[in-house]
């Protein structure tokens, strides 16, 4: 009863916060003039307030899931904060030399509202299904794999690989990023990229094993310093990163904190506060060295900030671009392009199909954006859905990735392996960003985080099984 009341208070408090921020954004947008095509902009914060108040917050408070946590925050930024800054900065444009038409802006806002409604309904349905299944299942005890032999072998191979392959560690930073890592990932050879890939998987596996070891020691001895050692291992894991992708750092931090929360729930809040503050500082440092061209020519930090939000959250300008891309390049909606969008970014498969005479949809998107070969802008997922399935079925891809996130969440809970929990949390966290991403981003990131790890995980499990089987036969 006490826990139920605590959750009710938390739910009420979050709803009040969302109402205050959402309604403030709505009022501010409504009382200011907007460019033609942006007439529906005030509806974005209102629809989010309704979705969050009746579905998203309840889904998060009563059954915490990392996907829902990330999605609720990202969609709040997209539907409440971004519209406010568009009006406050009086910035409705973007980087293209030819802006979308007012009709395209209007359709973009309608698609965004449609997307939020559909995804919210899907979450409501999936929560109902999940609730029925949870009642029938006993909670799974969290365990580590009974053997770490293959993990050890893989770690040795990864260390040797990064030691002997030239340039493998060139893009890696520890806590403080430097200018030498900017753009390196785009130019390193395949052998260096593979060695780096193995190293990144290795450092995460070792971190989880260390955190589990310290958890077992703390459980037996009760000594607090084991908690701090586990926290130190987590910080090192987060602090070792490749390239300058800020979302990768956030996702690694989310998965690491999720594991720490499972192992050390009573110490989670104070450690999480320090980790979040540290990650925020590193993100600021990364932003300072990336040196992305300023859309305002450094004349307005406000406009530059708004433009960055527009790009990474899939704002109205970018969705409008996607609508016009479909009209400009009808061939982009061919089924072969959709399949290429799905399979070309997949690690392993991409080696065999990379030379096919097919372009990504994002190539067409950037052609509409810049009218030249300059692929830097992210095609929003609802725009990708509209490209292949039209306005009515545009949310099919968002529905699919939301369902996938729930499937992965259920899978990690049924397996109960601390390693699986960590690596699947990486994937569901990434999926939470889907409104500003597309299938290419999702598939590449999921295959990067899962393919190699799952391979060594199941080999490790299989070898343990054979050893047990051999002992059983010898006993007979």
């Amino acid at each position: 009863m006490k826990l139920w009341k605590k959750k009710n208070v938390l739910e009420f408090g979050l709803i009040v916060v969302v109402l205050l921020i959402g309604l403030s954004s709505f009022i501010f947008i409504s009382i200011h003039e907007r460019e033609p095509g942006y007439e529906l902009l005030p509806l974005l914060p209102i629809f989010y307030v309704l979705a969050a108040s009746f579905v998203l917050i309840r889904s998060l408070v009563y059954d915490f899931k990392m996907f829902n946590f990330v999605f609720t925050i990202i969609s709040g930024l997209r539907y409440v904060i971004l519209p406010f800054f568009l009006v406050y900065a009086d910035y409705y444009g973007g980087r293209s030399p030819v802006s979308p038409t007012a009709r395209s802006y209007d359709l973009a806002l309608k698609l965004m509202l449609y997307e939020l409604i559909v995804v919210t309904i899907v979450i409501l349905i999936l929560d109902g299904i999940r609730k029925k299944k949870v009642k029938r299942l006993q909670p799974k005890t969290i365990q580590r794999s009974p053997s770490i032999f293959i993990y050890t072998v893989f770690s040795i191979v990864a260390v040797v690989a990064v030691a002997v392959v030239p340039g493998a560690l060139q893009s890696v930073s520890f806590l403080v990023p430097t200018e030498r890592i900017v753009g390196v990932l785009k130019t390193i050879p395949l052998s260096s990229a593979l060695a780096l890939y193995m190293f990144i998987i290795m450092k995460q596996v070792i971190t989880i094993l260390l955190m589990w070891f310290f958890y077992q020691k703390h459980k037996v001895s009760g000594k607090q310093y084991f908690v701090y050692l586990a926290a130190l291992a987590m910080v090192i894991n987060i602090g070792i990163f490749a390239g300058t992708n800020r979302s990768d750092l956030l996702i690694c931090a989310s998965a690491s904190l999720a594991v720490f929360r499972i192992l050390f729930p009573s110490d989670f809040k104070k450690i999480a506060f320090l980790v979040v503050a540290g990650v925020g500082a590193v993100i600021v440092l990364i932003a300072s060295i990336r040196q992305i061209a300023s859309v305002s020519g450094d004349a307005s930090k406000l406009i530059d900030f708004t433009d960055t939000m527009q790009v990474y959250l899939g704002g109205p300008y970018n969705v409008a671009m996607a609508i016009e891309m479909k009209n400009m390049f009808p061939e982009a909606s061919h089924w072969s392009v959709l399949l290429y969008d799905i399979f070309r970014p997949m690690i392993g498969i991409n080696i065999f199909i990379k030379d096919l005479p097919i372009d990504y949809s994002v190539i067409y998107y950037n052609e509409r954006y810049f009218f030249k070969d300059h692929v830097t802008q992210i095609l929003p997922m609802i725009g990708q859905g509209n490209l292949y399935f039209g306005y009515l079925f545009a949310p099919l891809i968002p529905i699919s990735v939301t369902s996938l996130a729930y499937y992965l969440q259920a899978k990690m809970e049924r397996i109960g392996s601390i390693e699986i929990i960590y690596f699947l949390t990486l994937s569901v966290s990434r999926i939470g960003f889907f409104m500003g991403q597309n299938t290419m981003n999702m598939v590449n990131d999921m295959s990067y985080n899962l393919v190699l790890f799952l391979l060594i995980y199941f080999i490790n499990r299989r070898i343990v099984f054979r050893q047990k089987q051999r002992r059983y036969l010898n006993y007979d």
Side-chain angles (χ1 to χ4, degrees):
M1 180 65 71
K2 186 177 179 180
L3 178 62
W4 183 85
K5 287 183 178 179
K6 186 177 180 180
K7 287 188 174 183
N8 272 265
V9 171
L10 178 60
E11 180 187 5
F12 177 76
L14 290 174
I15 290 174
V16 169
V17 171
V18 168
L19 275 170
L20 290 175
I21 297 174
L23 291 177
S24 298
S25 178
F26 165 75
I27 293 170
F28 181 83
I29 296 168
S30 299
I31 62 177
H32 286 81
E33 290 188 9
R34 299 174 298 282
E35 282 197 357
Y38 277 89
E39 288 79 10
L40 298 179
L41 190 64
L43 293 182
L44 265 59
I46 287 296
F47 273 56
Y48 178 80
V49 166
L50 294 173
S53 300
F54 291 101
V55 178
L56 301 182
I57 291 176
R58 174 171 288 269
S59 174
L60 189 60
V61 170
Y62 290 89
D63 181 18
F64 182 86
K65 300 171 288 294
M66 187 58 72
F67 163 76
N68 298 65
F69 176 71
V70 175
F71 171 75
T72 301
I73 293 175
I74 296 300
S75 56
L77 292 173
R78 189 191 195 209
Y79 287 89
V80 178
I81 306 302
L82 174 59
F84 169 82
F85 275 100
L86 290 175
V87 177
Y88 182 64
D90 193 26
Y91 177 71
Y92 302 94
R95 295 172 180 261
S96 176
V98 180
S99 296
T101 64
R103 180 178 180 275
S104 296
Y105 284 132
D106 181 65
L107 288 173
L109 291 170
K110 289 175 180 176
L111 274 179
M112 292 173 67
L113 293 168
Y114 183 32
E115 180 184 22
L116 180 61
I117 293 170
V118 171
V119 171
T120 302
I121 292 172
V122 169
I123 288 175
L124 183 63
I125 293 170
L126 292 175
D127 276 344
I129 296 172
R130 177 182 168 86
K131 187 176 180 181
K132 291 179 181 178
K133 289 184 177 180
V134 167
K135 285 182 177 179
R136 297 198 300 265
L137 297 174
Q138 293 295 324
K140 189 77 173 180
T141 302
I142 306 299
Q143 295 291 338
R144 192 211 73 189
S145 292
S147 169
I148 61 170
F149 174 70
I150 295 299
Y151 292 156
T152 305
V153 172
F154 173 76
S155 298
I156 294 171
V157 172
V159 169
V160 171
V162 295
V164 301
V165 176
L169 291 178
Q170 188 178 352
S171 65
V172 175
S173 296
F174 177 62
L175 292 180
V176 181
T178 59
E179 290 187 5
R180 66 175 172 79
I181 67 174
V182 178
V184 171
L185 290 177
K186 296 179 180 179
T187 59
I188 61 173
L190 180 61
S191 58
S192 299
L194 179 60
L196 174 62
Y197 177 33
M198 294 174 65
F199 173 78
I200 294 298
I201 298 296
M202 176 209 73
K203 64 103 177 178
Q204 294 178 103
V205 170
I206 290 176
T207 298
I208 299 308
L209 296 180
L210 284 174
M211 290 176 71
W212 181 263
F213 174 77
F214 294 133
Y215 160 70
Q216 293 287 355
K217 289 293 185 180
H218 177 261
K219 188 168 67 171
V220 172
S221 67
K223 294 180 178 179
Q224 190 68 14
Y225 69 81
F226 286 115
V227 177
Y228 300 134
L229 288 173
L232 178 62
M234 175 177 63
V235 169
I236 293 173
N237 179 46
I238 299 169
I240 299 174
F241 55 91
T244 58
N245 191 320
R246 288 164 287 186
S247 63
D248 287 346
L249 186 65
L250 285 171
I251 289 167
C252 179
S254 298
S256 301
L257 285 169
V259 169
F260 191 89
R261 179 173 176 263
I262 291 171
L263 301 181
F264 305 99
S266 59
D267 298 280
F268 173 73
K269 289 183 179 179
K270 59 183 178 183
I271 297 296
F273 176 80
L274 295 174
V275 170
V276 170
V279 169
V282 175
I283 288 175
V284 171
L285 288 173
I286 291 176
S288 68
I289 69 165
R290 288 190 66 174
Q291 298 177 343
I292 298 174
S294 168
V295 70
S296 70
D298 294 324
S300 172
K301 295 294 184 183
L302 178 60
I303 287 178
D304 291 339
F305 175 74
T306 305
D307 180 73
T308 300
M309 291 185 70
Q310 177 85 255
V311 171
Y312 288 104
L313 297 175
Y317 183 87
N318 284 38
V319 177
M321 280 290 177
I323 292 170
E324 295 194 353
M325 174 261 294
K326 180 177 181 178
N327 297 329
M328 183 176 290
F329 301 104
E331 67 273 19
S333 59
H334 193 270
W335 63 268
S336 61
V337 181
L338 171 60
L339 293 177
Y340 204 62
D341 279 356
I342 295 172
F343 293 105
R344 175 62 177 85
M346 198 175 292
I347 291 176
I349 294 178
N350 58 358
I351 297 173
F352 302 102
I353 65 173
K354 63 180 181 179
D355 295 323
L356 290 177
I358 305 172
D359 286 330
Y360 289 116
S361 58
V362 75
I363 300 293
Y364 295 103
Y365 178 72
N366 278 269
E367 180 67 24
R368 162 59 189 93
Y369 215 103
F370 298 109
F371 297 95
K372 61 181 180 179
D373 185 15
H374 187 59
V375 183
T376 61
Q377 297 299 306
I378 304 169
L379 169 64
M381 188 168 286
I382 191 64
Q384 188 184 25
N386 173 63
L387 173 66
Y388 298 119
F389 307 113
Y391 298 129
L392 183 60
F393 298 104
L396 276 179
I397 301 180
I399 289 171
S400 299
V401 297
T402 301
S403 302
L404 176 61
Y406 270 74
Y407 170 78
L408 294 177
Q409 180 74 34
K411 203 71 176 176
M412 75 170 80
E413 292 167 355
R414 284 198 295 269
I415 294 174
S417 162
I418 196 69
E419 308 102 283
I420 289 291
I421 288 173
Y422 175 83
F423 281 93
L424 288 187
T425 299
L426 288 176
S427 293
V428 298
S429 299
R430 168 62 73 180
I431 296 173
F433 285 82
F434 74 84
M435 284 187 162
Q437 305 284 301
N438 50 60
T439 60
M440 289 150 282
N441 304 118
M442 298 285 112
V443 171
N444 182 258
D445 190 83
M446 288 183 62
S447 63
Y448 180 86
N449 284 318
L450 289 180
V451 171
L452 183 56
F453 166 72
L454 290 178
L455 177 63
I456 63 173
Y457 172 79
F458 286 116
I459 292 175
N460 192 59
R461 300 280 295 188
R462 187 67 178 171
I463 286 180
V464 172
F465 170 75
R466 286 177 176 174
Q467 288 175 342
K468 287 182 177 179
Q469 186 182 51
R470 193 178 296 116
R471 286 197 298 268
Y472 177 75
L473 291 173
N474 289 338
Y475 180 78
D476 286 347

